[in-house]
Amino acid sequence: MDPSNIDDLLIQTASQARRFAVADFSDFAVGAALLTSSGQIIHGCNIENATYGLTVCAERVALWKALSDGHREFRQIAIVTDAPTLTPPCGACRQLLWEFCGDMKILLANTTGLVQNHQLSILLPFPFDRRSLT
Ligand code: THU
């Protein structure tokens, strides 16, 4: 698979996932697209509710969907918003992406076509994970 094409496909999928965002409180729609090691793309959007604190980010929705479908290995994730400054994953999502996906590539994009590549280990240095429990 040509990597630049898969990047475009992930961004397009994440961008389309924003349409389903349940973001009545923040009005900030986020879309995510997670690429599994078998080449499948699982998308997610942010889901808010009246308690605010039980909001689930788009990244975690995509990750929970993928895990509950039996996927266990992942290559990269794309995150798309319409913010002029690209939206990085929040701390909670960085932790969960690290634990379930490892040092994956994080592709950030916005609706004007701005794109950046990041590596999760750079966004989450010195992480706590299962190895810390031994
Ligand atoms: N949000 C995400 O879905 N992903 C991120 O990477 C950052 C924040 C959501 C949570 C909330 O619904 C809205 O964006 C505003 O914080």
Side-chain angles (χ1 to χ4, degrees), residues 3-132:
S4 59
N5 285 345
I6 191 65
D7 284 8
D8 289 349
L9 192 56
L10 286 169
I11 290 168
Q12 190 183 64
T13 305
S15 188
Q16 282 168 4
R18 290 183 68 240
R19 289 181 304 173
F20 302 118
V22 183
D24 306 340
F25 298 95
S26 71
D27 203 28
F28 189 72
V30 185
L34 186 59
L35 179 66
T36 71
S37 59
S38 61
Q40 268 184 265
I41 298 175
I42 318 279
H43 64 264
C45 61
N46 53 329
I47 301 180
E48 301 179 349
N49 77 314
T51 68
Y52 292 27
L54 294 176
T55 289
V56 187
C57 293
E59 297 89 322
R60 264 176 285 164
V61 170
L63 182 59
W64 293 162
K65 281 175 67 181
L67 290 169
S68 71
D69 281 348
H71 299 288
R72 290 293 182 272
E73 284 182 33
F74 305 96
R75 284 197 217 144
Q76 67 183 89
I77 191 168
I79 303 160
V80 176
T81 68
D82 66 356
T85 303
L86 295 174
T87 304
C90 76
C93 288
R94 291 179 201 203
Q95 176 68 29
L96 291 167
L97 290 171
W98 175 263
E99 287 197 44
F100 290 106
C101 309
D103 189 13
M104 73 185 330
K105 184 169 129 180
I106 311 272
L107 192 57
L108 307 180
N110 71 9
T111 48
T112 68
L114 190 61
V115 177
Q116 273 177 15
N117 263 305
H118 294 272
Q119 201 63 29
L120 184 53
S121 56
I122 303 294
L123 300 183
L124 188 70
F126 196 35
F128 174 86
D129 58 31
R130 65 175 62 214
R131 288 170 298 190
S132 317

